[in-house]
Amino acid sequence: MEGKQPVDEVDLNRGRGEEGNGLDWLLRKDNSEITPAPMDTNVSLSRQHIASVDSSHSEEFTREIIFEAASHGDTNETNGKTALLKALLNLKDGKNDTIDLFLDIAEKTGDLRHLINASYTDPWYKGQTALHIAIERRSFDHVKLLVQKGADVQAKANGKFFQRNAGLGFYFGELPLSLAACTNQPNIVSFLMENPYRNADLTEKDSQGNTVLHTLVVIADNTTENTDMIVRMYDEILIQHHKLEKRRKVQLEDIENNRGLTPLKLAAKLGKIGLFRHMLHREFTDEETRPLSRKFTEWVYGPVHSSLYDMTSIDTNEDNSVLDIIVFGSEIPNRPEMLQIEPLRSLLNDKWDRFASKLFLMNFLFYLTYLIIFTMVACHRKDGQPPFPVVVPLDYLRCIGELISVLGAVWFLYKTIHIYKRNPPNLKALFTDGFCEILFFLQAALLLICTVLYGCGRREYVGLLVLSLALAWMNILYYSRGSKQMGMYNVMMQRMILGDILHFLCFYSVFLFGFSAAIVALIDDTSPAIKIQTNSSRAQGRTFGLEPFKCKKPSYNDIRFTILELFKFTIGMGDLEFTDHVQYKEVFYILLISYIVLTYILLLNMLIALMGNTVERISKESENIWNLQRAFTILDLERTLPRSLMRKLHREASKTVCFRHEPNECRPFFRVEEINWKQWRSDVTQEEDPGNHLMLPQPEEQPRATVWNLNPFERLLARRRQSQQSSVP
């Protein structure tokens, strides 16, 4: 009797088998050494032997064990996966009947909330709950069921699989609402925001401080399909939140993440140009949602559009503004294109016209004066052992010029170091930012080292002095940014230096040094002709008791002379008088002719063709890069102004406008007039009184200079009404 199984247990096991594996697969234990992989993967990644798998099947499950597992939830102590989580991972056609069974059992045992909100505990999927899986499986019915049963709508899945830049995984913001938004499920997003059980808090942040709006910005990839989806979801969340949270007055777009970035600033930081453009141009025509707009069309006349753009977080009067992020963000891939979006383009042009162009001209004149003084000092330096004493009055002028040159070098060194701290250089940014700052840094560093050598009495200071002088004259090209044509030409030249010419030099240096080494190895210094010539010269020379003067003519046995001579052949200035001091003249001729064909004929003409192609290819791109470099100069000049003057300039550029529905909330706006020849309007204005129906009128006691008339036709219409009234008899 001891070896027999009880009848009840046999029946239970038979019943389990007859049910056709309905529940046993849900309770199968996971391997603790499985390599991290997606939760529902069909690929076996187990590292154990098959024998260990056989031993795991020796454990029998009964209905009591199943009931206990469903009531207590966790069936795997290694990763926290419950029977409910497994059931949701194995939906067929969006259904799994065991889910209702598990919820019913847990509800009867009073453990429903624990089962629903149980989450993974392993590092890869830590924090993921049943609600996350139901959203990922796009099962709206199960989402409603779980929320109705008490699922935590603020649960955070913060495992490694759900982190940014973690390699394998998908970042969605950790929260269920963010997951639904990132996977384009507007019905679930709307339900989580508005339901009779528990609404999701849109101000909730994940471990990186990102809200649902930040998360949408992160997953944008600038493709048309993705941008349309993100834009649609972004606007729907803003509109629904505005309608639901009218009393709280919480501005979702003003919430910052852990890096101090709002969604708009994050879009600028990551270079999400499609979503960034939509944010700046967002305009709602509905009366209730119009305060969410960042753009207001003031009037339209034919192809001309006058618009008001919200300048919140954009202009440099705020810390870490959008302009600062784009202009000084060397890691942003498409900075030049982003600066062409309104109102950034018009704002930078306005800054240039009002103050930056004048300051830039003054700096150019100061630098030109400094350069003349530096050149005079270098050209009229004294010969001999430095340092030189001050004897005559002319020496005093020379000392003053040297002092000005050194102080200028200190200033340039300080400026470049300050720029590098704010905008660290990298190789990719050289193609957009240029290398003017690097040349200024080298100019200043060489001159300061030259000053140290001069003070130490070293004559080698002259070499560094002339190098610094040459760089100083090259750096005058920096001021070509003030002119569009000159600036674009400078950009093209820099792009060619960093592209075509650099590639040419890489190939050319291989040919130059290779053929030079081959020719030097071919020269025979001990040839009989050299010995005969040496003996005859000694016999004919007059010594007068002194050593005869030896005139050594450089030959191809010197590697430096050979490199120089071959370089002359490249530019068409080589000497065709071949040397006779070679062992095999035919080989020498073959080497020399092959070098000329490969470099002078092939490489040089390829360089010319590539440079012509580059000019055609980057003509439009050069204009955008010039705008970026000029924007860098504008903001750099703006930082040199006193704070009081900067605040005055900002007040002149934009005006503060308040809304009728929210009189306590005022925002700065910037007016931009755009011309679009593809869009025509037959009406004179967009509305009878454009803008004034939504905006709060300015107080009467406010000075007239600060009043911004939102209706440019108001005065014209008033005069017309007066003329009509005067014509009435």
Side-chain angles (χ1 to χ4, degrees):
M1 296 295 294
E2 294 179 358
K4 295 182 179 180
Q5 288 182 333
V7 177
D8 296 340
E9 185 173 347
V10 173
D11 293 337
L12 289 174
N13 291 336
R14 185 183 300 113
R16 177 173 59 85
E18 291 175 355
E19 290 174 2
N21 297 328
L23 297 175
D24 59 345
W25 62 273
L26 293 173
L27 301 175
R28 192 174 300 130
K29 288 193 174 183
D30 293 335
N31 196 328
S32 59
E33 295 187 10
I34 289 179
T35 303
M39 300 162 295
D40 57 342
T41 180
N42 293 322
V43 181
S44 177
L45 300 178
S46 176
R47 297 178 182 176
Q48 292 186 351
H49 297 287
I50 301 177
S52 62
V53 178
D54 296 335
S55 62
S56 64
H57 288 286
S58 62
E59 185 177 356
E60 296 289 346
F61 291 100
T62 65
R63 293 182 182 274
E64 287 77 7
I65 296 178
I66 295 174
F67 186 89
E68 183 179 359
S71 60
H72 289 84
D74 194 2
T75 64
N76 194 326
E77 297 179 357
T78 59
N79 59 14
K81 186 185 292 185
T82 66
L84 178 61
L85 295 176
K86 287 189 174 184
L88 287 169
L89 286 171
N90 291 271
L91 297 179
K92 293 183 179 180
D93 298 328
K95 298 180 180 180
N96 193 330
D97 297 335
T98 58
I99 296 176
D100 295 329
L101 175 62
F102 289 151
L103 295 179
D104 183 61
I105 294 174
E107 188 172 8
K108 291 179 179 179
T109 58
D111 203 25
L112 179 61
R113 190 173 296 274
H114 172 72
L115 176 64
I116 290 179
N117 294 319
S119 62
Y120 280 79
T121 57
D122 70 275
W124 279 87
Y125 311 113
K126 181 180 179 181
Q128 183 175 229
T129 63
L131 183 59
H132 289 94
I133 298 178
I135 296 173
E136 187 271 330
R137 298 295 167 175
R138 311 183 77 84
S139 179
F140 185 39
D141 295 333
H142 288 105
V143 170
K144 291 193 295 184
L145 178 62
L146 293 174
V147 174
Q148 180 182 358
K149 296 294 185 179
D152 184 9
V153 296
Q154 303 299 138
K156 298 179 180 179
N158 51 12
K160 295 180 181 179
F161 189 83
F162 310 114
Q163 297 300 317
R164 287 184 62 190
N165 304 323
L168 176 66
F170 172 64
Y171 173 76
F172 61 86
E174 303 177 2
L175 297 167
L177 178 65
S178 301
L179 175 59
C182 293
T183 53
N184 192 21
Q185 302 183 67
N187 54 344
I188 297 181
V189 171
S190 178
F191 174 77
L192 292 176
M193 293 177 61
E194 185 179 6
N195 61 78
Y197 311 106
R198 183 185 177 186
N199 296 334
D201 185 8
L202 272 71
T203 62
E204 186 73 16
K205 301 179 180 180
D206 60 12
S207 58
Q208 300 182 17
N210 292 333
T211 64
V212 59
L213 298 185
H214 290 90
T215 308
L216 288 173
V217 173
V218 171
I219 69 168
D221 60 6
N222 291 334
T223 60
T224 303
E225 182 179 358
N226 174 269
T227 301
D228 293 340
M229 185 270 290
I230 297 297
V231 163
R232 185 168 56 254
M233 187 64 64
Y234 193 98
D235 290 347
E236 289 178 0
I237 292 176
L238 275 182
I239 293 174
Q240 187 169 356
H241 177 267
H242 177 75
K243 293 179 179 179
L244 295 175
E245 305 291 342
K246 292 184 177 180
R247 297 181 179 179
R248 293 180 59 184
K249 303 299 182 183
V250 177
Q251 299 294 333
L252 289 180
E253 292 190 301
D254 293 340
I255 300 177
E256 298 180 349
N257 61 6
N258 294 343
R259 301 175 62 186
L261 300 175
T262 62
L264 179 63
K265 295 179 181 179
L266 183 62
K269 185 75 173 180
L270 299 179
K272 305 304 176 66
I273 187 171
L275 182 58
F276 179 74
R277 180 185 290 108
H278 170 76
M279 289 180 178
L280 295 180
H281 294 177
R282 187 177 63 239
E283 183 175 13
F284 296 112
T285 57
D286 184 63
E287 185 72 21
E288 183 180 4
T289 59
R290 200 172 186 191
L292 296 175
S293 303
R294 292 192 65 99
K295 173 185 177 182
F296 297 92
T297 300
E298 191 179 18
W299 55 266
V300 179
Y301 191 89
V304 183
H305 299 247
S306 179
S307 305
L308 303 179
Y309 285 92
D310 186 2
M311 300 304 295
T312 305
S313 302
I314 294 180
D315 206 353
T316 53
N317 58 335
E318 300 183 25
D319 295 334
N320 198 24
S321 65
V322 170
L323 269 181
D324 290 326
I325 292 174
I326 297 177
V327 173
F328 299 115
S330 57
E331 73 282 358
I332 301 176
N334 45 10
R335 290 187 298 159
E337 292 78 10
M338 297 181 73
L339 288 180
Q340 298 307 306
I341 301 175
E342 296 292 355
L344 302 184
R345 177 177 172 274
S346 297
L347 180 62
L348 290 172
N349 289 335
D350 180 73
K351 290 178 180 289
W352 176 260
D353 294 335
R354 284 191 297 117
F355 66 90
S357 59
K358 287 78 175 177
L359 293 176
F360 189 76
L361 179 60
M362 292 176 57
N363 287 348
F364 171 69
L365 295 178
F366 280 126
Y367 182 77
L368 191 60
T369 304
Y370 166 80
L371 189 58
I372 293 174
I373 295 175
F374 184 23
T375 305
M376 296 295 292
V377 169
C379 293
H380 292 82
R381 61 179 179 83
K382 283 189 173 182
D383 296 329
Q385 185 70 26
F388 304 106
V390 179
V391 181
V392 297
L394 187 61
D395 293 338
Y396 288 98
L397 295 177
R398 179 176 53 81
C399 289
I400 294 175
E402 292 175 350
L403 182 61
I404 293 175
S405 302
V406 173
L407 291 178
V410 173
W411 169 251
F412 293 138
L413 186 66
Y414 167 77
K415 286 287 292 182
T416 52
I417 293 176
H418 181 69
I419 291 174
Y420 289 152
K421 285 184 177 180
R422 182 178 56 199
N423 186 25
N426 56 69
L427 183 61
K428 187 176 180 180
L430 290 178
F431 289 92
T432 54
D433 298 342
F435 44 81
C436 291
E437 287 76 17
I438 298 178
L439 296 182
F440 273 110
F441 177 82
L442 293 177
Q443 170 194 340
L446 289 175
L447 186 55
L448 293 179
I449 297 175
C450 167
T451 304
V452 174
L453 295 179
Y454 178 85
C456 295
R458 306 286 300 183
R459 295 188 178 184
E460 290 82 359
Y461 83 95
V462 178
L464 300 180
L465 178 65
V466 296
L467 290 177
S468 178
L469 180 62
L471 290 175
W473 278 100
M474 289 177 59
N475 286 332
I476 204 171
L477 297 178
Y478 166 81
Y479 295 94
S480 63
R481 297 180 179 182
S483 170
K484 180 178 180 179
Q485 298 299 328
M486 295 289 293
M488 292 176 58
Y489 188 85
N490 188 26
V491 168
M492 290 184 183
M493 184 180 66
Q494 293 179 3
R495 294 292 299 271
M496 289 180 186
I497 292 175
L498 296 173
D500 299 334
I501 294 181
L502 187 61
H503 295 160
F504 167 79
L505 291 178
C506 291
F507 284 89
Y508 175 69
S509 60
V510 173
F511 288 111
L512 180 62
F513 287 102
F515 279 90
S516 298
I519 292 176
V520 171
L522 194 62
I523 297 296
D524 185 12
D525 292 335
T526 61
S527 61
I530 298 178
K531 293 180 179 180
I532 295 174
Q533 183 180 1
T534 304
N535 294 333
S536 61
S537 61
R538 287 183 178 179
Q540 296 175 1
R542 297 181 180 181
T543 59
F544 298 100
L546 300 175
E547 280 292 327
F549 178 75
K550 297 180 180 180
C551 180
K552 293 184 178 181
K553 181 180 179 181
S555 61
Y556 282 99
N557 61 349
D558 186 359
I559 185 67
R560 293 173 296 180
F561 174 79
T562 305
I563 291 175
L564 180 60
E565 287 297 317
L566 292 185
F567 175 76
K568 291 180 180 179
F569 279 113
T570 305
I571 59 178
M573 298 177 60
D575 186 6
L576 294 179
E577 295 181 1
F578 299 143
T579 179
D580 295 330
H581 307 154
V582 294
Q583 296 181 3
Y584 306 99
K585 292 185 179 181
E586 294 80 4
V587 177
F588 177 77
Y589 297 155
I590 293 174
L591 288 175
L592 203 58
I593 295 174
S594 299
Y595 172 80
I596 295 174
V597 171
L598 291 174
T599 58
Y600 182 72
I601 298 178
L602 179 62
L603 284 182
L604 209 57
N605 285 279
M606 284 183 60
L607 175 63
I608 296 173
L610 289 175
M611 291 174 66
N613 185 33
T614 302
V615 171
E616 297 179 0
R617 178 172 50 87
I618 67 173
S619 57
K620 179 60 179 177
E621 186 179 356
S622 298
E623 182 177 356
N624 293 336
I625 295 177
W626 167 74
N627 282 318
L628 173 62
Q629 294 180 356
R630 192 184 66 162
F632 187 94
T633 303
I634 292 172
L635 299 191
D636 189 42
L637 293 172
E638 190 179 30
R639 292 174 182 267
T640 62
L641 299 176
R643 292 186 177 272
S644 57
L645 182 57
M646 286 182 60
R647 287 193 293 268
K648 181 180 179 181
L649 292 173
H650 286 132
R651 286 195 301 267
E652 293 177 355
S654 60
K655 300 299 180 180
T656 302
V657 178
C658 302
F659 293 89
R660 292 183 182 274
H661 301 290
E662 301 173 356
N664 295 327
E665 181 185 353
C666 299
R667 288 186 273 169
F669 283 83
F670 182 77
R671 176 180 282 133
V672 176
E673 292 186 4
E674 306 170 79
I675 300 179
N676 189 349
W677 295 100
K678 296 182 180 180
Q679 294 182 0
W680 294 83
R681 296 290 297 271
S682 58
D683 50 344
V684 176
T685 60
Q686 183 186 13
E687 302 175 27
E688 185 177 353
D689 295 313
N692 288 340
H693 75 286
L694 187 66
M695 306 300 179
L696 186 68
Q698 300 284 348
E700 295 182 358
E701 63 273 6
Q702 190 172 359
R704 187 177 183 84
T706 60
V707 176
W708 193 3
N709 184 15
L710 295 177
N711 187 354
F713 294 96
E714 184 177 350
R715 183 177 300 176
L716 180 61
L717 294 176
R719 291 180 179 178
R720 185 174 181 180
R721 285 194 295 268
Q722 290 178 1
S723 60
Q724 291 177 354
Q725 293 176 1
S726 60
S727 62
V728 176

